[in-house]
Amino acid sequence: MKSDAVKKGMQQAPHRSLFNALGLTEEEMNKPLIGIVNSYNEIVPGHMNLDKITEAVKMGVALAGGVPREFPAIAVCDGIAMGHVGMKYSLVTRDLIADSTECMAIAHQFDALVCIPNCDKNVPGLLMAAARLNIPTIFVSGGPMMAGHVKGEKRSLSSMFEAVGSYAAGTMTEEDVYEFECKTCPTCGSCSGMYTANSMNCLTEALGMGLPGNGTIPAVYSERLKLAKHAGMKIMELLEKNIRPRDIMTEKAFRNALTVDMALGCSTNSMLHLPAIAHEAGVELNVDIANEISSRTPNLCHLAPAGPTYIEDLNEAGGVYAVMNELDKKNLLFTDLITVTGKTVKENISGCENRNPQVIRPIDNPYSATGGIAVLRGNLAPDSGVVKRSAVVPEMMVHEGPARVFDCEEDAIEAIKGGKIVAGDVVVIRYEGPKGGPGMREMLNPTSAIAGMGLGSSVALITDGRFSGASRGASIGHVSPEAAVGGPIALVEEGDTIKINIPENKLELDVSDEELAARKAKWQPREPKVTTGYLARYAKMVTSGNRGAILEL
């Protein structure tokens, strides 16, 4: 056992004395030591229940003959961090989580890990750590929030942000907004639509790193406690069989995850996180693969914000495995891959039928023949930009309009809510990328303001920042190279015509090459917005969005 390095032999007598200080018995010291990575805290709604999930996991580990030892991982609530300086500290936690988990696991020589994440950066951060450490590991998330109910309709966090925009437009009263405020987020759990947290928890299943139901069983269901116990038991089987993350997270597994991503219509943030996780697993996942996979993968789900259904509905319809079973009907998945169930993908999804064709469209009747995410390129985004195609209204799939240029999110919001943005405009928000932000803030406030002002079907938004999974509309993010390194988005001027063609994967600035070259010659890098602390170090090490915003030494 790996943990023998801290438990066996005369040289380890001091180590054993410290285990004695923990109250471990001699019997426990002869059993495998299982690290339980608990992301519980009291500030993130998706994490407030993880203490109970953790206790269930520990019980499962103990039942199966292991010794669970719990340690923490941090997590940021993107919703609470949204729209202010705090959002600069969201994406950057992904690497803190991966690094700190690596430190704890190696320093204490755990034999295996059970990771208990839930919200946005927490899931990919721990998946990155799992790939890096490559010791037997299983994931069990805290589960999704139940949808809210306002005026007889199901609602979620995106509805709440859009309500603020509606109030600014004068189409909703303060009392209406207050009702949304009180009823939109009714339970603990990751916010109830197909936002980033639920996207990544569902894709954890698709990758093979979580048991069935990991992404969809609601946080408040007792079934999730059973899932946690089973995850605790299953890690002992994975340890016995020496099934490790890199055995599971292969290139084919990442292709499966991208395929499921396209079918579900996941958050565009998956285009940041999957390449970063793959990088840790030694797999090259170029964003161009996304268009290749999208071209042959039908979009089967329109979960909020793309449509009126929620993760609880996906769960009742059969969950991620039912979606995968639909995809397998057209041989779109690699099904001979091993997973944390100890079985292959084929064995896992066999018999997992679609119980609600209104929630999961049958493979022969999709929402669209192509997937939910598109990667765009052109002279405005030579290295790529990303859009959640499944959440774009038909009339905005092809759009041309004048650029309205802003050098930070706050200025754009002021203009939108001040009525200065009109139908046909293309809002450009730059210097918000991984380096320029720094931290690549999410732009949920601007997109929600556009939707709330009634401009969702006539105004596009382009940024070198990123979008919450709750964003909808023609919202194109991750534009690379970013403005801070002199990418073409830094050269856009007020009134320039921008051409968007999502079906053809194009994003063009209607300015001649000669004029762009002249502008580039005049361009000067800006002084860093942050010069001290973690963000300053992050800005020096981070790569562009098209590479997953990974850190390089």
Side-chain angles (χ1 to χ4, degrees), residues 102 127-137 139 207-209 242-254 276-283 337-340:
E102 174 194 356
L127 283 166
M128 288 165 66
R132 189 185 299 174
L133 290 162
N134 202 33
I135 60 175
T137 304
F139 278 65
L207 271 173
M209 290 297 293
N242 196 29
I243 298 174
R244 306 187 199 186
R246 292 195 185 191
D247 300 326
I248 297 168
M249 290 193 284
T250 61
E251 181 180 355
K252 289 180 178 179
F254 281 103
I277 298 161
H279 175 74
E280 295 290 354
V283 173
L337 311 179
I338 194 67
T339 70
V340 291

Side-chain angles (χ1 to χ4, degrees), residues 250-266:
T250 61
E251 181 180 355
K252 289 180 178 179
F254 281 103
R255 284 180 170 267
N256 279 355
L258 276 171
T259 301
V260 175
D261 189 339
M262 297 301 168
L264 286 173
C266 290

